[in-house]
Amino acid sequence: MKRTFKRGVVAALALGAVSVGALLNSGAAFAQQTIKVGWTIPAEESKYWMMKRPQEFTSLGKTYNIEWVQFQGTAPMTQALAAGALDCATQSPLALAQGVVGGNLKAYVVAQHVFEKPGSFSVYWAVKDDSPIKTIADLKGKTLSINTLGSGIYGPMAILLKQAGLDASKDIKLVEVGFALSEEALRSGRVDSAVMNQPFAARMEAKGGTRKLFSLSQQQEGIVHILEACRADFVDKNPDLAKAYVRDLTSGMQKALANRDETLKVVNEVMKAPIPVLETYLLKENDFARDPGAAPNFDAIQKMLDVYVETGMLPKKVDVSAWKNPSVVAPIK
């Protein structure tokens, strides 16, 4: 009986150890769920908060983790999404559409970072104060900068030139100049008109000697510059994980807008831009607009995609409704 009792105790202890081990392993496996997320600079404050203040979020670091991967633009992230190397990433509407049309990428738009609205900052082309260029029509035969040839801002620009009687492919010369170098290119005379984005526009305006020629808002109100997209197969296979991520993105946007002083510090830590420079524009009227819940504006995105078809940047119409998963889209609380 003693031997039988001992064997029973040993078996019970062994079973208990296995059960505890299984629970620990399953808990560890859940805690180790990791999302690979692509990001870039600038204007992703919700992500910057998640990177630099993870303790402020409900699920991040508790039920899932993020492997942050930095890129220099949205197009490389589109390729990484299509290859399955990323689960979610910052995208421009054009880059995502090109991935869908040409790369067989299937993705959902789950959140939005920045857009334009009346009164907010709008990407614009500047000229020097003493330039003879007064209207868009005066750009004929001139050299303009663009951040990347084929970037999403080309479509609205081409439409505006067309309305002024110019063909963007024939009547002007476009040269590729990064936003950070646009001001220098303009002041040195390398280009006649330079495209400006924040924070570089604020820096240039503070120095004086330049003026705005035209902005993208003249072509369309509500232009969406960057959004957040996740691979459809990732979301479909991991709906709870995807929801946790979008919930934290929603919270990140709310934190960024509610605590500007802390956001200045967070952005400084990420971008290494001095706080006095960030102070001149970040989350002010001369900055891009942000939806308080990071909600995507699908109607505005559709209008942009139609412009890209019109200007030949997309070979066929793309229906944005295929990019929406109603159960996994900001805001999620």
Side-chain angles (χ1 to χ4, degrees):
M1 288 182 63
K2 288 182 178 180
R3 284 197 298 269
T4 302
F5 176 74
K6 288 180 179 178
R7 283 198 298 270
V9 171
V10 171
L13 290 172
L15 180 60
V18 170
S19 300
V20 172
L23 287 171
L24 290 173
N25 287 336
S26 64
F30 185 70
Q32 290 172 1
Q33 284 185 292
T34 299
I35 305 176
K36 292 184 178 180
V37 177
W39 67 283
T40 189
I41 289 173
E44 298 180 25
E45 288 77 24
S46 56
K47 284 185 174 179
Y48 304 157
W49 264 84
M50 292 169 72
M51 287 179 202
K52 298 299 183 180
R53 304 291 186 272
Q55 71 278 3
E56 297 289 331
F57 294 85
T58 303
S59 302
L60 181 57
K62 303 171 184 68
T63 60
Y64 78 97
N65 294 311
I66 292 177
E67 179 182 332
W68 298 103
V69 186
Q70 185 176 8
F71 288 78
Q72 295 303 311
T74 56
M77 285 188 274
T78 309
Q79 298 169 0
L81 284 170
L86 292 176
D87 300 313
C88 302
T90 311
Q91 289 288 276
S92 68
L94 176 60
L96 183 58
Q98 290 174 330
V100 169
V101 173
N104 296 316
L105 173 63
K106 294 183 179 179
Y108 297 129
V109 172
V110 299
Q112 183 171 293
H113 296 291
V114 295
F115 68 105
E116 296 183 7
K117 70 177 183 181
S120 76
F121 179 80
S122 176
V123 172
Y124 69 88
W125 271 260
V127 295
K128 289 191 284 188
D129 273 342
D130 59 359
S131 171
I133 301 171
K134 305 297 183 183
T135 67
I136 295 177
D138 295 335
L139 289 170
K140 186 170 184 178
K142 304 300 183 181
T143 300
L144 284 69
S145 75
I146 193 166
N147 61 316
T148 304
L149 294 172
S151 72
I153 61 176
Y154 175 87
M157 180 207 71
I159 295 290
L160 289 170
L161 264 64
K162 183 179 180 180
Q163 292 172 350
L166 302 182
D167 185 332
S169 65
K170 299 177 182 177
D171 294 328
I172 63 168
K173 179 182 179 182
L174 277 178
V175 296
E176 197 171 80
V177 179
F179 287 126
L181 299 176
S182 288
E183 178 186 354
E184 187 279 330
L186 178 62
R187 293 190 188 278
S188 68
R190 290 199 294 126
V191 299
D192 300 297
S193 181
V195 64
M196 300 307 303
N197 198 353
Q198 294 293 32
F200 314 108
R203 182 183 65 186
M204 183 184 75
E205 290 165 5
K207 295 177 183 177
T210 66
R211 55 184 166 83
K212 184 185 300 183
L213 182 64
F214 70 94
S215 65
L216 297 188
S217 61
Q218 294 171 228
Q219 189 276 318
Q220 177 188 325
E221 290 185 356
I223 285 178
V224 177
H225 283 287
I226 50 174
L227 46 83
E228 189 71 11
C230 297
R231 291 192 344 266
D233 63 324
F234 165 75
V235 174
D236 293 341
K237 292 176 182 177
N238 307 279
D240 291 337
L241 181 58
K243 287 178 184 177
Y245 175 60
V246 177
R247 183 178 296 111
D248 283 343
L249 277 175
T250 304
S251 177
M253 182 64 78
Q254 293 169 342
K255 293 178 189 298
L257 295 177
N259 191 342
R260 183 172 183 265
D261 288 343
E262 190 65 20
T263 300
L264 289 170
K265 296 176 184 177
V266 169
V267 175
N268 164 259
E269 292 171 25
V270 174
M271 292 178 55
K272 309 304 179 186
I275 288 181
V277 173
L278 297 173
E279 170 63 38
T280 63
Y281 78 94
L282 188 65
L283 302 183
K284 288 186 172 182
E285 290 185 356
N286 59 327
D287 195 5
F288 289 114
R290 293 160 179 80
D291 183 88
N297 186 337
F298 287 99
D299 290 340
I301 295 170
Q302 184 66 68
K303 290 179 181 178
M304 295 176 67
L305 299 182
D306 294 342
V307 166
Y308 296 142
V309 173
E310 181 181 348
T311 53
M313 301 183 76
L314 286 176
K316 63 179 182 180
K317 183 176 176 65
V318 177
D319 185 358
V320 77
S321 65
W323 294 2
K324 185 174 184 179
N325 182 328
S327 64
V328 187
V329 63
I332 296 180
K333 298 182 179 179

